Each structure stands twice: as C-alpha cells, then as structure tokens.
Amino acid sequence: SLHDALPILSIPALRSALLTWIDRHEVLRSHVVLKGIRPQDGAPGLVRLTTGPGTVHLRMGKVGWYSDPAPMMDQIAGSFDRATAPLHWPAYMFSTVAREHSFTLLFAGDHSLLDGYSLIVAQNELVTLYRAARDHVTPALPDAGSYVDFSAHERRLADETGPDHPAIEAWTTFLRTGHGQMPRFAAAERSLPPVSHPADATAAPEPEPESGPPQESLTELLLDDEQTNRFTAVCSEAGGSLFAGVLAAMAIVYHDMTGDTEFRTVMPRHTRDSPEWLTSLGWFVGLAPVCLDMSDSPTFGQLIVRATAELKHGRVGSTLPYLRVAELIGGAHPDVVAGEPRFALSFIDTRYAPGAADADAGRARVLRSHSYAPEEVFIWINRTPGGLRVSARYPAADATDPSTGDLVGTFIHRFADLLRSTGDRSTFATDG
C-alpha cells in the first residue's frame, strides 16, 4: 500500500499509471490454466496464456463512503481475498481510498505472481508512473525483463536436471541431520524416529487444510540505524557480514532456549542473477538449507565464521527449484522427505532499492494476508535505511503446543536483546 505520498486523486492519471505498469510486466498479463491430464503421471496439465501490451483494460467501480475505517478495511480485505485466488485471472486487484487532500493506493496479488522484492520495486514504480502521468512526462524507469521468460527458462533447465545436481546432495545431507525431515521451530527433532515412506514418493506432502484461528503476527523495529551499524561493525571485525551475524545471533538464542545441538532452518535466496531481472515482478526465489553446529556452544565470533561458510555452502541448494528438488529426492532417496518448509528465515537489505527512504519513513507498507498454517514459523529480517526490522508470523497461542507459538515472541525479543548487547560492545562511531 502507498499512502500520504500521493496528492489528490486524479482518476485519469491513475488509470494511465496502472495500465502502463501492467504493460510493463508480462506476469500481470499472464495466467496459468489447468488443461487435460499429463500422461506420464496423471497430474493436471498446465498451460500459460499471455495477452499482449495494450490489451488489458481496467474496470473501475465506486464502493462507497466511509467515516469508520473498520468496515472499510473489512470491505477491502474481503475483496482482495476473493480477487487474488491463484487460478483466477487476474490474480491481483487495485483499490484506492480517497480523501480531501490525498489518497492511498492499495495493490494485492497472489504470491505466485510476485516475491517480497517485487513489492518493494512496485512501490517506487507505481509512484513514478502516477506522477509522470499526472505531469504528462515520460517516466524514468529502467527496462524490466519478463518473469514469464525467466520461469520458462528455469523450468527447462530443471526438467533437464537429474539427481546428480549439487542441490540434491545439499538437501539430502540437510534432511538427514533432522532424521529425514524438514526443520520445525523448537521441535526437538533429535527425538523423532527416522522417516519411512514409499520409495516412489516424488512430491512434497499436501498442505494441511486451513483451520483454527489465523496465525499471529509481529512487526517491530529491532535496531535503529546507529545500533545496526554498531552490530554490523562487530560482524565485520569477526570476518562476516550483517547477514551472517543475524544468522549467528538467532542460532545462539535458539540453542539457549531449546538446547538443540543444531540450528536448522530454510532460507529463501533470490535468483535474480541477471541485471534484466532486477526490476521485474515475479517469483525469483529459491530455497536454501541452513544448518549450524551448536554442540560445542560456540562464541559469537566462532559462529560468525560458521555462518559465513554455511551461507556460501547452502546457497547451492537454491540453484534448483525446490519442487524439482522434492521430485528428485523422492525418487532417489527414500530415507528422507523433502516436505514443505515449516521454519524459515529470510534476510533482505532494501537500503539501495529505489524509493527505499520514503518507504521506510512510512509512506509505503508491505502487508500479508491471513495465514492459517498450524505450525509454520516464518521470520523476515529487513535492513532498511532506518535500521533492522523484523516481521514474523507463527501459530496462534491457543492452536499450538508450548514448543512453538508461545516461544516465538520470546525468541524474537531475546534475539533483539542479543543484537543490541553485541553492538554495544562495538567501538564503531559515526562521523561527528
């Protein structure tokens, strides 16, 4: 959502901006449909349809006037939920909230169309396109490649890949450290029995149906810019990056709270490996396994070295789409299950993204819809111009056992305390 960054609403300028944006990104003019049955495995066939630039039109409608934000938000959220189903086209929707002297533009899309960085890119692009349309000037935006082209290329390479791909070895090793299973937050995995499943299982298990209350969420500023710089200086002195330091600090807190001898999580890693994809909308994400040995209770400095090495080593796991990883592992390694991620940690540095300062100052927000996953714990760490931010979702307290939901908030706050105390030991100082 973009708010307080745009002046009084101009419908013609907004219509022009949105249509230009849709023309700019082929993924917004593309749709996947189920068609027929694949003879090789009996699964539904998939066909992608794309319409050309200039062929998409907007249908606008006025919902009503609101003096109370609560019913307005219910109306918008309900409309977004209905409009963004993955098999619906378009699987995205725009909405505006107009006021006397300003307006808010909201955009919602299914996650199959865009990743987190896409939403960060979208903020700047939509503002730029709107202002250019309003002022009748040419927008200054770099060219963007098509995610449809990227995904077609990625799929071809994945289909041609066999079980000798390095990502398969990385994932099987990772899964075997957890008795053949994906990590779960505070699951005491060492007590789990070895996994047993048919050798011909080739896909990850189906997700659990949505049930119970929605997950709880947490969004906070962990450290301000000065505090983050101090913590980063400690990481640099130990031979690592802020990314490695975040991972090391999480592992220390997790070990202290659970006693687990290994810190295991799944980490999204971007696949924007060419300049043409840097400003593209799409799902440019691979999954990497991460495992840190905590059996000897390492110091922070020792763990920085291990985290740096693990981030480099684990990256190979993200070089093959995870669905293909699951297919190949299921066919070749019956002692492990490449199931769906249950505990994931993400790190992204957005300081150099276009419009990052305005977004961080509160003029733009990236929001998530409700999730009903009964055991997923997902944590996003974002280095912004203002500092280090965290966003997390995790099972509601009354829908979990004591080993998950009740621990997540405590875990994050103890993690923040460790970041601050570590940075306080730094001699880093800004100029002046």
Side-chain angles (χ1 to χ4, degrees):
S1 67
L2 302 172
H3 55 94
D4 297 331
L6 305 172
I8 189 168
L9 175 60
S10 165
I11 294 296
L14 182 61
R15 179 187 291 273
S16 174
L18 297 183
L19 289 174
T20 302
W21 196 55
I22 292 170
D23 285 348
R24 175 176 170 81
H25 297 289
E26 187 177 8
V27 70
L28 299 178
R29 296 179 279 106
S30 182
H31 179 44
V32 174
V33 297
L34 303 178
K35 187 175 182 180
I37 300 296
R38 297 192 307 188
Q40 64 268 35
D41 56 13
L46 300 177
V47 177
R48 181 179 287 278
L49 306 175
T50 296
T51 186
T55 60
V56 175
H57 303 280
L58 293 178
R59 183 176 61 192
M60 293 190 176
K62 184 180 293 184
V63 175
W65 298 89
Y66 291 87
S67 58
D68 185 344
M72 180 189 69
M73 292 308 299
D74 287 343
Q75 169 68 37
I76 293 174
S79 297
F80 281 169
D81 285 343
R82 291 186 294 272
T84 56
L87 295 181
H88 177 276
W89 193 89
Y92 58 92
M93 185 179 187
F94 303 96
S95 182
T96 58
V97 178
R99 295 172 292 275
E100 184 177 0
H101 300 294
S102 65
F103 74 97
T104 299
L105 171 65
L106 300 106
F107 164 72
D110 182 73
H111 216 346
S112 63
L113 301 179
L114 25 93
D115 55 20
Y117 190 76
S118 295
L119 292 176
I120 294 168
V121 168
Q123 298 168 9
N124 177 70
E125 289 191 347
L126 288 168
V127 170
T128 298
L129 291 172
Y130 176 77
R131 288 176 172 165
R134 180 198 61 195
D135 299 338
H136 305 288
V137 299
T138 301
L141 290 175
D143 292 338
S146 168
Y147 175 66
V148 177
D149 294 341
F150 172 86
S151 58
H153 175 69
E154 184 181 56
R155 181 58 184 262
R156 284 194 299 271
L157 293 180
D159 287 346
E160 295 169 357
T161 297
D164 58 341
H165 191 283
I168 305 303
E169 189 277 332
W171 275 103
T172 52
T173 300
F174 173 75
L175 293 168
R176 283 173 179 146
T177 64
H179 291 277
Q181 299 182 6
M182 292 287 273
R184 286 170 168 78
F185 186 86
E189 291 157 334
R190 301 308 172 273
S191 65
L192 295 173
V195 66
S196 176
H197 67 95
D200 61 353
T202 59
E206 290 295 318
E208 294 91 343
E210 294 184 358
S211 61
Q215 287 199 315
E216 295 183 10
S217 292
L218 179 151
T219 301
E220 293 183 3
L221 177 67
L222 295 175
L223 305 177
D224 62 24
D225 183 54
E226 171 71 14
Q227 291 171 320
T228 306
N229 286 334
R230 293 175 66 85
F231 176 74
T232 304
V234 176
C235 298
S236 298
E237 183 66 22
S241 63
L242 172 61
F243 192 0
V246 164
L247 182 59
M250 278 204 170
I252 289 173
V253 174
Y254 191 84
H255 176 65
D256 289 346
M257 292 182 63
T258 67
D260 203 337
T261 58
E262 288 177 333
F263 177 69
R264 300 174 68 243
T265 187
V266 173
M267 185 168 288
R269 304 297 296 267
H270 79 82
T271 56
R272 297 173 185 263
D273 54 2
S274 174
E276 64 186 305
W277 313 127
L278 291 180
T279 59
S280 299
L281 297 191
W283 180 255
F284 295 88
V285 177
L287 290 180
V290 174
C291 180
L292 292 179
D293 179 16
M294 301 297 297
S295 61
D296 57 345
S297 298
T299 64
F300 181 75
Q302 292 171 330
L303 205 51
I304 280 279
V305 175
R306 294 181 192 179
T308 301
E310 180 63 8
L311 288 173
K312 181 178 180 180
H313 174 262
R315 178 80 194 220
V316 70
S318 66
T319 58
L320 186 65
Y322 183 69
L323 180 60
R324 184 58 174 159
V325 168
E327 291 175 345
L328 293 172
I329 285 180
H333 301 279
D335 59 320
V336 299
V337 172
E340 294 192 355
R342 293 292 184 265
F343 177 30
L345 166 65
S346 173
F347 177 88
I348 186 171
D349 188 335
T350 62
R351 285 176 294 173
Y352 307 107
D358 282 344
D360 197 42
R363 292 188 168 187
R365 286 287 184 267
V366 174
L367 308 172
R368 295 187 306 273
S369 61
H370 289 310
S371 175
Y372 295 84
E375 58 177 332
E376 289 180 357
V377 175
F378 285 11
I379 301 173
W380 295 266
I381 305 295
N382 187 358
R383 175 56 163 118
T384 73
L388 199 66
R389 297 184 181 274
V390 64
S391 179
R393 65 172 177 85
Y394 48 92
D398 61 350
T400 62
D401 60 58
S403 70
T404 52
D406 291 342
L407 284 178
V408 177
T410 300
F411 169 74
I412 291 175
H413 291 134
R414 288 183 61 175
F415 165 67
D417 290 342
L418 178 58
L419 297 180
R420 281 190 292 269
S421 63
T422 301
D424 287 345
R425 295 194 296 271
S426 169
T427 57
F428 171 84
T430 57
D431 293 338

